[in-house]
């Protein structure tokens, strides 16, 4: 009796294995990949990744406006550093977002669009001071706080590494902006 039960279980196992192999073979013949989907990202991690992307997009747009409008060498150097560094950060964020199938913003948010419109009306020293105050000090303070507060929260290991990697750069940008705001030279490079 035990032998018959063993044979029956063995036959069921072989049938199940054969069915799975047949499905995989049919999928391969149909050109369908059986590779697992990218790992899902938690809603909280998606929100953080999206917020990080938005900060980069906002910063790049503001820096490009500063490059167009400022005549101050220190402000222009700071703005170019922002375009370069935030562009690299955005590339890393976009790479992770593609791997996790997360949509990201591609233009500044409404508040930064409104700020850009107001700043477009400023000239010379007034523009430089407004740019350094808003994009340099205020925005970098907010982003740095976000990165510090969320450093240990991401469940996605690659997102956690991105947060950790961005913190020193954002801190350096904040210090450089504060130096410019105080009349000193930026220490960005």
């Amino acid at each position: 009796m035990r032998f018959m039960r063993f044979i029956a279980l063995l036959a069921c196992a072989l049938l199940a294995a054969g069915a799975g192999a047949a499905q995989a073979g049919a999928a391969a013949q149909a050109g369908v990949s059986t590779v697992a989907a990218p790992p899902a990202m938690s809603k909280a991690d998606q929100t953080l990744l999206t917020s990080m992307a938005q900060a980069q997009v906002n910063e790049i747009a503001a820096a490009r406006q500063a490059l167009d409008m400022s005549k101050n060498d220190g402000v222009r150097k700071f703005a170019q550093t922002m375009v370069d560094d935030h562009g690299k950060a955005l590339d890393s964020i976009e790479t992770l977002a593609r791997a996790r199938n997360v949509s990201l913003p591609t233009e500044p948010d409404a508040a930064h669009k409104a700020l850009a419109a107001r700043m477009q009306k400023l000239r010379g020293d007034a523009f430089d001071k407004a740019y350094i105050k808003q994009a340099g000090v205020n925005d970098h303070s907010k982003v740095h706080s976000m990165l510090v507060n969320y450093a240990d929260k991401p469940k996605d290991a690659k997102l956690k590494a991105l947060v950790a990697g961005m913190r020193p750069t954002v801190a350096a940008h904040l210090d450089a902006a504060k130096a410019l705001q105080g009349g000193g030279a930026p220490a960005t490079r």
Side-chain angles (χ1 to χ4, degrees):
M1 190 67 154
R2 286 185 185 160
F3 182 70
M4 293 301 277
R5 212 178 290 157
F6 173 74
I7 295 294
L9 287 173
L10 183 60
C12 287
L14 290 172
L15 283 172
Q23 284 178 339
Q29 285 178 350
V32 177
S33 174
T34 57
V35 176
M41 189 175 255
S42 73
K43 287 289 183 192
D45 283 0
Q46 288 180 33
T47 300
L48 177 59
L49 187 65
T50 302
S51 296
M52 290 168 62
Q54 187 66 68
Q56 307 316 307
V57 169
N58 293 342
E59 193 62 45
I60 292 166
R64 285 185 176 143
Q65 184 179 29
L67 287 170
D68 288 342
M69 296 187 65
S70 181
K71 305 291 185 238
N72 180 299
D73 288 338
V75 171
R76 291 181 58 76
K77 181 178 179 187
F78 178 80
Q80 186 60 58
T81 300
M82 298 306 100
V83 169
D84 296 343
D85 290 354
H86 289 284
K88 289 176 192 169
L90 185 58
D91 288 345
S92 297
I93 291 167
E94 288 172 339
T95 298
L96 179 58
R98 275 191 301 279
R100 299 297 188 267
N101 201 25
V102 175
S103 297
L104 298 177
T106 58
E107 60 183 41
D109 60 27
H112 284 85
K113 285 180 182 178
L115 177 64
R118 285 192 306 275
M119 293 196 45
Q120 192 67 36
K121 298 173 186 170
L122 301 176
R123 297 289 177 262
D125 196 44
F127 174 87
D128 294 339
K129 286 180 180 180
Y131 168 68
I132 293 300
K133 178 182 178 189
Q134 183 58 47
V137 176
N138 294 351
D139 285 352
H140 281 92
S141 292
K142 289 176 190 173
V143 171
H144 189 262
S145 292
M146 175 183 69
L147 295 174
V148 168
N149 291 335
Y150 288 94
D152 295 328
K153 293 190 175 40
K155 292 176 180 37
D156 186 289
K158 290 188 178 182
L159 177 59
K160 189 178 267 191
L162 263 178
V163 169
M166 288 176 62
R167 280 176 48 195
T169 303
V170 172
H173 291 173
L174 179 57
D175 290 344
K178 286 178 179 179
L180 273 171
Q181 192 176 44
T188 57
R189 296 222 182 215

